[in-house]
Amino acid sequence: MPWINEGGNGGSWKPGNGGPWGQKPSAPPPDFEEFLRRGQDKLKQWMPGGGSVGARGLLALVLIGAIIWLLSGFYTVGPNEVGLNKIFGRYTGKTGPGLNYNLPFPVGAVQKLQVTNRNAINIGFGARQDIRATGAQIQVDLPEESLMLTGDENIADVKFVVIWQIDPVRPEDYAFNIANQRETVKAVAESAMREVIGRSQIQRILTAERKVIEPAVQELMQKILNEYKAGILILQVQLQSVDPPEQVIAAFRDVTAAQQDQNRLRNEAEAYANRVVPEARGKAAATVQEAEGYRLQTVAEATGQASRFSQIYEQYKKAPDVTRQRIYLETMERVFGGMDKVIVDQGGAQGQGVLPYLPLNALTARPADGARK
C-alpha cells in the first residue's frame, strides 16, 4: 500500500488508509523526517518519470541496501591467522589466509585467531616496571606459584616458562571449548609441574633430573589439554631455576658441593683401579707364562737326560769296559777342556816325567786378541 505525502503537515508521512497495520503511526523525530525528505528528493531525480516514491522505489532501496550488506561480508585472513565463521553464533567452518566470505553482521560473524604466534607464560615469577628507571623491568618472585613439595617431603622453589601456541588443526576447540585460555594453560602448567616434582627427590631435582623434568611436564600438560579439547599445543617447557627455599639454600649448596666432591673422588678411584688392575693382571699373566715355560723346559731337559742315560745304559750292558772308558774320557775332556794343563809322563825314557805341552789354541788366539786391541 503506497504512502501519501502531505506537504502541508510539516513534511510528515501518513498512511493512505490508516497504515499497513491499521494504525496511525506516530510522527518521527524532526531529524529523521528531514533525512527521509532529502532521500525522497534525490530518489525522484533518477527514478523514471520523476514521480512520487512508490513500491518500486522502496524495492530499489531495499535491493541496494541488501547488495551493500552482502558485499560487507568479504574479509581478509592474514598469513598467520585462521578465520572461524559463525552464523547466528553457531560455528560453521574455518578459512585459511586470503580473501574469504561469510554472511555479515548481524547474521554472521568471523573470529580471527593467530595460530602461528608463540605465547609464553611465566610460572613462579613475573616482571614489573622499575619506578627508578624508565622502561626497565625487574623480576618479581611469586612464592605461591613456585614453592612445591617434593617426594621426600622437602620444598623446592621452581621457576619455569611454558611456550605454547594455538593448534592450527583445531583452532575451533581453542575458541569455543575453554574460556580464559591463558589462565587455563597457566593452571595446567602449575598442576603438571607439582605432580612431576611430587614424584622426585630434592637432591635429584637439584642435580641430575633437571633435564628429565622438562619433557615430563610438557607431555603431562599436552595430555591434560587434549582431554579438555583445548586446541592448544605445548611447544616447550623451560626450567629457569630449581633451588631450595631461600632460608636453607646455603646448606643445600654445601651438600651439593660435598656430593660433587664425592663423585669426583669416586671417579678418580675408579680411574686408578682401571689403570692398576689391568697392569696387575698383565704381570700375573706374564708370571704364569714364565713359570709354565720354565716347567716345560725343566721337564724337557729331565726327559732328555733320562733318555740319554737309558741309551748309555743300554750300550754299557753290551760293552761295559769300552763304555766305562769312553765315559771317563768324555768326562775328563769336559772337566779339563777349559783349564791350563801340565802333563806328567811317568814312563818317559829320561825319567824326567815332564812332557812339554804347546797350547796351540792359546797361541793362535793371542795374536788375534792383540790385533783387536
Side-chain angles (χ1 to χ4, degrees), residues 174-199:
Y174 175 84
F176 305 126
N177 288 349
I178 59 174
N180 299 325
Q181 294 89 346
R182 186 178 181 86
E183 295 299 326
T184 301
V185 174
K186 185 175 183 179
V188 171
E190 185 176 347
S191 175
M193 181 62 74
R194 291 185 184 277
E195 180 175 345
V196 173
I197 294 297
R199 297 197 299 257

Short mmCIF file of all heavy atoms in Angstrom, two decimals, residues 174-199:
data_model
loop_
_atom_site.label_atom_id
_atom_site.label_comp_id
_atom_site.label_asym_id
_atom_site.label_seq_id
_atom_site.Cartn_x
_atom_site.Cartn_y
_atom_site.Cartn_z
N TYR A 174 40.03 -24.24 20.55
CA TYR A 174 40.58 -23.16 21.36
C TYR A 174 39.56 -22.04 21.56
O TYR A 174 39.46 -21.46 22.64
CB TYR A 174 41.83 -22.62 20.69
CG TYR A 174 42.44 -21.41 21.36
CD1 TYR A 174 43.31 -21.55 22.42
CD2 TYR A 174 42.14 -20.11 20.91
CE1 TYR A 174 43.87 -20.44 23.04
CE2 TYR A 174 42.69 -19.01 21.52
CZ TYR A 174 43.55 -19.17 22.58
OH TYR A 174 44.09 -18.08 23.19
N ALA A 175 38.78 -21.75 20.52
CA ALA A 175 37.86 -20.61 20.58
C ALA A 175 36.59 -20.92 21.37
O ALA A 175 36.05 -20.03 22.05
CB ALA A 175 37.49 -20.16 19.17
N PHE A 176 36.10 -22.16 21.30
CA PHE A 176 34.76 -22.44 21.82
C PHE A 176 34.72 -23.41 23.00
O PHE A 176 33.71 -23.47 23.70
CB PHE A 176 33.88 -23.02 20.70
CG PHE A 176 33.83 -22.14 19.48
CD1 PHE A 176 34.16 -22.65 18.23
CD2 PHE A 176 33.48 -20.81 19.57
CE1 PHE A 176 34.12 -21.86 17.09
CE2 PHE A 176 33.45 -20.00 18.44
CZ PHE A 176 33.76 -20.52 17.20
N ASN A 177 35.79 -24.19 23.24
CA ASN A 177 35.70 -25.21 24.28
C ASN A 177 36.13 -24.73 25.65
O ASN A 177 35.70 -25.29 26.67
CB ASN A 177 36.53 -26.44 23.90
CG ASN A 177 35.90 -27.24 22.78
OD1 ASN A 177 34.75 -27.00 22.42
ND2 ASN A 177 36.63 -28.17 22.22
N ILE A 178 37.03 -23.76 25.72
CA ILE A 178 37.50 -23.27 27.02
C ILE A 178 37.43 -21.75 27.04
O ILE A 178 37.50 -21.10 26.00
CB ILE A 178 38.95 -23.73 27.31
CG1 ILE A 178 39.90 -23.25 26.23
CG2 ILE A 178 39.02 -25.24 27.45
CD1 ILE A 178 41.35 -23.55 26.53
N ALA A 179 37.27 -21.23 28.25
CA ALA A 179 37.29 -19.79 28.46
C ALA A 179 38.57 -19.42 29.23
O ALA A 179 39.13 -20.24 29.96
CB ALA A 179 36.06 -19.34 29.25
N ASN A 180 39.03 -18.20 29.06
CA ASN A 180 40.27 -17.75 29.71
C ASN A 180 41.41 -18.70 29.39
O ASN A 180 41.99 -19.35 30.28
CB ASN A 180 40.07 -17.61 31.22
CG ASN A 180 39.01 -16.61 31.58
OD1 ASN A 180 38.84 -15.59 30.91
ND2 ASN A 180 38.27 -16.89 32.64
N GLN A 181 41.71 -18.80 28.09
CA GLN A 181 42.67 -19.81 27.65
C GLN A 181 44.03 -19.64 28.32
O GLN A 181 44.65 -20.62 28.73
CB GLN A 181 42.84 -19.75 26.13
CG GLN A 181 41.60 -20.13 25.33
CD GLN A 181 40.68 -18.95 25.06
OE1 GLN A 181 40.83 -17.89 25.67
NE2 GLN A 181 39.75 -19.11 24.14
N ARG A 182 44.51 -18.44 28.44
CA ARG A 182 45.83 -18.22 29.04
C ARG A 182 45.86 -18.66 30.50
O ARG A 182 46.80 -19.32 30.95
CB ARG A 182 46.21 -16.74 28.92
CG ARG A 182 47.62 -16.43 29.37
CD ARG A 182 47.97 -14.97 29.17
NE ARG A 182 49.33 -14.68 29.59
CZ ARG A 182 50.40 -14.82 28.81
NH1 ARG A 182 50.22 -15.23 27.57
NH2 ARG A 182 51.61 -14.55 29.25
N GLU A 183 44.83 -18.32 31.25
CA GLU A 183 44.78 -18.75 32.64
C GLU A 183 44.65 -20.26 32.75
O GLU A 183 45.18 -20.88 33.68
CB GLU A 183 43.60 -18.06 33.34
CG GLU A 183 43.73 -16.56 33.45
CD GLU A 183 44.96 -16.16 34.27
OE1 GLU A 183 45.30 -16.90 35.22
OE2 GLU A 183 45.57 -15.13 33.94
N THR A 184 43.95 -20.87 31.78
CA THR A 184 43.84 -22.33 31.80
C THR A 184 45.19 -22.99 31.58
O THR A 184 45.56 -23.95 32.26
CB THR A 184 42.85 -22.78 30.71
OG1 THR A 184 41.57 -22.19 30.96
CG2 THR A 184 42.71 -24.29 30.71
N VAL A 185 45.96 -22.48 30.61
CA VAL A 185 47.29 -23.03 30.36
C VAL A 185 48.18 -22.85 31.60
O VAL A 185 48.92 -23.77 31.98
CB VAL A 185 47.92 -22.35 29.14
CG1 VAL A 185 49.37 -22.80 28.96
CG2 VAL A 185 47.13 -22.67 27.88
N LYS A 186 48.09 -21.72 32.25
CA LYS A 186 48.91 -21.48 33.44
C LYS A 186 48.53 -22.42 34.56
O LYS A 186 49.41 -22.99 35.24
CB LYS A 186 48.75 -20.02 33.88
CG LYS A 186 49.65 -19.63 35.04
CD LYS A 186 49.53 -18.15 35.34
CE LYS A 186 50.49 -17.75 36.46
NZ LYS A 186 50.42 -16.29 36.75
N ALA A 187 47.24 -22.63 34.77
CA ALA A 187 46.80 -23.54 35.83
C ALA A 187 47.23 -24.98 35.54
O ALA A 187 47.68 -25.71 36.43
CB ALA A 187 45.29 -23.46 35.99
N VAL A 188 47.11 -25.41 34.28
CA VAL A 188 47.52 -26.76 33.91
C VAL A 188 49.03 -26.92 34.08
O VAL A 188 49.52 -27.96 34.53
CB VAL A 188 47.08 -27.07 32.48
CG1 VAL A 188 47.68 -28.38 31.99
CG2 VAL A 188 45.56 -27.15 32.39
N ALA A 189 49.80 -25.90 33.70
CA ALA A 189 51.25 -25.97 33.83
C ALA A 189 51.68 -26.09 35.28
O ALA A 189 52.54 -26.92 35.63
CB ALA A 189 51.89 -24.73 33.19
N GLU A 190 51.09 -25.30 36.14
CA GLU A 190 51.43 -25.37 37.56
C GLU A 190 51.05 -26.72 38.15
O GLU A 190 51.80 -27.32 38.93
CB GLU A 190 50.74 -24.23 38.31
CG GLU A 190 51.13 -24.14 39.77
CD GLU A 190 50.49 -22.95 40.46
OE1 GLU A 190 49.96 -22.08 39.74
OE2 GLU A 190 50.52 -22.90 41.69
N SER A 191 49.89 -27.24 37.77
CA SER A 191 49.45 -28.54 38.29
C SER A 191 50.37 -29.66 37.81
O SER A 191 50.75 -30.54 38.59
CB SER A 191 48.01 -28.81 37.83
OG SER A 191 47.60 -30.10 38.22
N ALA A 192 50.74 -29.65 36.52
CA ALA A 192 51.62 -30.70 35.99
C ALA A 192 53.00 -30.65 36.64
O ALA A 192 53.58 -31.69 36.97
CB ALA A 192 51.73 -30.55 34.47
N MET A 193 53.55 -29.45 36.84
CA MET A 193 54.86 -29.35 37.46
C MET A 193 54.82 -29.84 38.91
O MET A 193 55.74 -30.54 39.36
CB MET A 193 55.33 -27.90 37.41
CG MET A 193 56.71 -27.67 38.02
SD MET A 193 58.04 -28.57 37.16
CE MET A 193 58.18 -27.60 35.66
N ARG A 194 53.77 -29.52 39.63
CA ARG A 194 53.66 -30.00 41.01
C ARG A 194 53.58 -31.53 41.06
O ARG A 194 54.14 -32.17 41.95
CB ARG A 194 52.45 -29.38 41.69
CG ARG A 194 52.58 -27.90 41.96
CD ARG A 194 51.41 -27.35 42.75
NE ARG A 194 51.51 -25.91 42.92
CZ ARG A 194 52.24 -25.31 43.87
NH1 ARG A 194 52.89 -26.07 44.73
NH2 ARG A 194 52.29 -24.00 43.95
N GLU A 195 52.89 -32.11 40.09
CA GLU A 195 52.79 -33.58 40.07
C GLU A 195 54.15 -34.22 39.79
O GLU A 195 54.53 -35.20 40.44
CB GLU A 195 51.78 -34.01 39.02
CG GLU A 195 51.61 -35.52 38.93
CD GLU A 195 50.52 -35.93 37.97
OE1 GLU A 195 49.71 -35.06 37.58
OE2 GLU A 195 50.48 -37.12 37.60
N VAL A 196 54.89 -33.68 38.83
CA VAL A 196 56.20 -34.25 38.49
C VAL A 196 57.19 -34.04 39.65
O VAL A 196 57.94 -34.95 40.01
CB VAL A 196 56.74 -33.63 37.19
CG1 VAL A 196 58.16 -34.08 36.92
CG2 VAL A 196 55.84 -34.00 36.03
N ILE A 197 57.19 -32.84 40.23
CA ILE A 197 58.08 -32.58 41.37
C ILE A 197 57.71 -33.47 42.55
O ILE A 197 58.59 -33.94 43.28
CB ILE A 197 58.02 -31.09 41.76
CG1 ILE A 197 58.60 -30.22 40.63
CG2 ILE A 197 58.77 -30.84 43.05
CD1 ILE A 197 60.06 -30.46 40.35
N GLY A 198 56.43 -33.73 42.74
CA GLY A 198 56.00 -34.57 43.85
C GLY A 198 56.43 -36.02 43.74
O GLY A 198 56.38 -36.75 44.73
N ARG A 199 56.85 -36.46 42.55
CA ARG A 199 57.33 -37.83 42.37
C ARG A 199 58.85 -37.94 42.46
O ARG A 199 59.39 -39.04 42.33
CB ARG A 199 56.88 -38.37 41.01
CG ARG A 199 55.38 -38.47 40.83
CD ARG A 199 55.05 -39.37 39.67
NE ARG A 199 55.59 -38.85 38.42
CZ ARG A 199 54.87 -38.23 37.49
NH1 ARG A 199 53.57 -38.05 37.69
NH2 ARG A 199 55.42 -37.79 36.37
#
